[in-house]
Amino acid sequence: MNIALLPLDERPVNTRLPVDVGAVAGARVHLPGRDLLPDMRVPGRADLLGEWLLGHADADAAVVSVDMLAHGGLIAARTTEDATAAVLRRLDVLRRLREAAPALPISAVSLVTRASDGYSGDEEPSYWPSYGRELHAYGGLLHRAHQGEPVTERLAALDAKIPASVRSDFQRRRLRNHVVNLESLRLLAEGVVDPLLITADDTAVHSAGSVEQHWLRHWARALDAPGTLLMYPGADEVGALLVARALAAAQGEPVRVAVVAGDPAGLDLVAPFENLPAGLGARRQAQAAGTTLVEDPEAADIVLVVHTPDPGRGDWCGAPPQPDPAAAEATVQAVRGALDTGAAVALADVRHTNGSDPALVEALIEQGLIEPLAAYGGWNTAGNTMGSVVAAAVATIVGRRSGALDAHAATRLKLHRLVEDYAYQAVVRPRLAREHGLGYTAGQFREGAFGGGRAQDYLDQAEALLRPLLRALAGDDRWTLRDLTLPWTRTFEIDFTLTRRPANPPTSATT
């Protein structure tokens, strides 16, 4: 199967991860050339990306990031000055693609623009380092005002803090992007795309993005489009998730998913940067992958075990989270119970933000439960983790049914996530942050670029520290870690290649 993917941006989570998910089921995911994609704050070549997509009308399925097609990528959606009319014209490529390939499955994802609660300006308009948290708060108060809450005085105080020109610029950008989301709904109603996912990146229960979702739901109800529309927290995982959906749709037989937790009450908690309870978020991610939800794990093809959010809201890009061995053990027991059903078991570790729960992973290693897992994830937000885990598990089931399962690719993907999410983000990165004096600021890892050879020194140290952790996770020393890089030249994440040496062939006895 050949899938054309227009990714959200150029980072590995949006390019390598969908390719790896496709490989699990023997599919090939095609990406635009690197020269067309963005380079962090440099937008992708949106018009040429549209032509690239039209050139893949003969694919078996297309997965399209509206942000990439309309703006040139995730950061470009927040920072470019393109007029609304120009941005909307680019979406006509999808209508042209539908005319060229009437039977082509085209799935699309469009993001509700975030307003991050911090002062990091790497991915935001130029005024974010001065007014970021105030703009985040302003959006939340406008949401409350929309609900009729008495917030006039608090809004007036922020009006005095934030220059009118800054407020106006930010709201105009949001309005442009909201119009793009409305046009995406129209594309769904016209039958051009199906499904349409409108996801929210770094949101909160009360926020500018959450109230915009309220308005989008109104239009979704009014249009009553025949296709599938889902709105929920997520962003970087969606490309991989829609690749998995395309795989499952082509295979034809429904994939049944049950969601369980060691602490069922924890499914009602809302994780940081999200606006839905974790359990509902997990179910939305499963639905987005085209699966059928079932209550009984015994009737499921996949049991999604959720290691539920820390009530203390632990974040590996803030103060190191506090361990809770009892919570980890409860999830270990849930994993054991899920394995007993005979289903594929996928583990979404959303206990902490921006990294795994070491207590859980170390318990899994000690009890020999890494190898039986079909998929694992524990990175960034709860939505990122759950969506990528569901994607890998669905690809595994599709591969088994079709006879195209690449077991090596499945294991490599699982280990990649364990090495990055646990070994790097929760173990190595905090240690190197202290040693390199990177520190933490405003609850967020300081992600400045390195000068001179400092980046390579950091990567060399990271690789040396990761090797023994990889051996522990894999259970042997046949996996090799190489080609470490820092996407966007920051320590927030890493990329690398995992290769496995073949087992030594048996030697013949001589007499």
Side-chain angles (χ1 to χ4, degrees):
M1 183 177 185
N2 290 289
I3 301 171
L5 170 66
L6 204 59
L8 178 61
D9 62 37
E10 78 281 16
R11 287 173 298 153
V13 291
N14 291 307
T15 53
R16 178 195 286 269
L17 178 58
V19 170
D20 287 350
V21 166
V24 170
R28 185 177 178 190
V29 177
H30 300 264
L31 291 161
R34 186 67 187 82
D35 60 322
L36 299 183
L37 293 175
D39 184 3
M40 198 175 179
R41 291 185 71 91
V42 178
R45 304 171 72 180
D47 294 326
L48 293 180
L49 285 164
E51 293 303 315
W52 177 89
L53 187 60
L54 286 171
H56 284 75
D58 60 347
D60 298 303
V63 174
V64 179
S65 162
V66 170
D67 292 80
M68 180 66 81
L69 180 60
H71 306 286
L74 174 65
I75 295 181
R78 304 172 191 151
T79 60
T80 56
E81 305 292 341
D82 294 352
T84 302
V87 168
L88 291 178
R89 279 196 295 272
R90 292 172 184 149
L91 296 188
D92 280 334
V93 163
L94 294 173
R95 294 184 175 93
R96 293 165 59 193
L97 181 61
R98 172 55 66 225
E99 290 173 3
L104 175 68
I106 307 173
S107 55
V109 53
S110 190
L111 265 63
V112 176
T113 305
R114 80 176 189 179
S116 64
D117 188 12
Y119 293 112
S120 174
D122 289 350
E123 306 174 39
E124 312 294 345
S126 60
Y127 43 74
W128 213 261
S130 299
Y131 303 106
R133 300 201 82 167
E134 288 79 8
L135 286 165
H136 171 83
Y138 197 81
L141 288 177
L142 287 175
H143 186 179
R144 291 180 183 278
H146 177 73
Q147 294 176 325
E149 296 184 30
V151 296
T152 304
E153 290 185 6
R154 293 159 68 189
L155 276 172
L158 285 176
D159 282 341
K161 271 189 176 181
I162 309 169
S165 60
V166 170
R167 281 187 280 113
S168 177
D169 180 82
F170 185 59
Q171 299 301 353
R172 286 199 305 269
R173 291 176 190 276
R174 296 200 70 87
L175 181 58
R176 180 192 67 177
N177 295 355
H178 185 63
V179 171
V180 169
N181 283 328
L182 288 170
E183 183 67 5
S184 299
L185 283 175
R186 180 170 171 166
L187 289 166
L188 177 69
E190 292 175 6
V192 173
V193 302
D194 184 17
L196 171 65
L197 276 53
I198 299 180
T199 62
D201 180 25
D202 284 5
T203 188
V205 174
H206 288 97
S207 65
S210 292
V211 73
E212 287 167 20
Q213 289 175 73
H214 172 78
W215 299 327
L216 290 166
R217 288 189 184 94
H218 161 75
W219 279 108
R221 285 192 294 269
L223 288 167
D224 194 24
T228 297
L229 170 69
L230 289 170
M231 282 189 269
Y232 60 90
D236 293 328
E237 81 290 349
V238 180
L241 198 70
L242 288 177
V243 164
R245 184 186 182 103
L247 295 170
Q251 193 271 331
E253 185 180 349
V255 177
R256 298 162 298 178
V257 175
V259 178
V260 304
D263 173 20
L267 294 172
D268 295 328
L269 296 175
V270 177
F273 310 113
E274 309 234 324
N275 60 3
L276 289 178
L280 180 55
R283 292 191 288 274
R284 291 276 171 85
Q285 295 282 357
Q287 289 175 298
T291 71
T292 299
L293 289 165
V294 297
E295 293 297 323
D296 182 7
E298 297 283 348
D301 301 301
I302 298 167
V303 178
L304 175 62
V305 180
V306 180
H307 188 42
T308 53
D310 175 11
R313 303 177 74 79
D315 186 343
W316 283 110
C317 283
Q322 296 300 308
D324 186 342
E329 183 56 29
T331 297
V332 167
Q333 293 309 313
V335 168
R336 288 191 177 279
L339 289 169
D340 288 342
T341 68
V345 178
L347 176 54
D349 180 355
V350 301
R351 180 76 180 173
H352 307 307
T353 306
N354 291 313
S356 300
D357 180 0
L360 172 63
V361 176
E362 289 157 15
L364 294 170
I365 294 171
E366 182 180 341
Q367 299 183 41
L369 294 176
I370 295 290
E371 191 277 333
L373 293 176
Y376 172 87
W379 59 290
N380 212 347
T381 66
N384 292 156
T385 285
M386 293 189 289
S388 57
V389 168
V390 168
V394 168
T396 298
I397 295 299
V398 171
R400 287 176 183 173
R401 289 175 175 174
S402 66
L405 176 67
D406 186 334
H408 176 79
T411 300
R412 185 180 64 228
L413 174 54
K414 178 176 64 177
L415 281 176
H416 193 110
R417 291 264 53 95
L418 282 158
V419 169
E420 179 161 2
D421 306 352
Y422 158 68
Y424 177 70
Q425 294 185 12
V427 180
V428 170
R429 184 177 65 187
R431 173 174 169 175
L432 292 182
R434 293 190 299 270
E435 293 179 2
H436 284 259
L438 296 174
Y440 297 92
T441 179
Q444 198 164 21
F445 203 85
R446 189 175 298 152
E447 297 152 6
F450 289 97
R454 196 175 174 207
Q456 192 57 53
D457 289 343
Y458 180 95
L459 287 170
D460 290 344
Q461 292 176 56
E463 183 174 352
L465 293 169
L466 289 171
R467 282 185 192 135
L469 293 168
L470 171 60
R471 285 196 294 272
L473 290 163
D476 60 39
D477 61 357
R478 289 170 55 199
W479 285 94
T480 301
L481 182 76
R482 58 182 176 83
D483 302 331
L484 272 71
T485 61
L486 296 171
W488 284 358
T489 321
R490 61 182 191 173
T491 59
F492 183 74
E493 61 203 325
I494 56 169
D495 192 35
F496 51 88
T497 300
L498 286 176
T499 56
R500 183 169 172 82
R501 298 190 306 276
N504 293 328
T507 56
S508 300
T510 57
T511 58

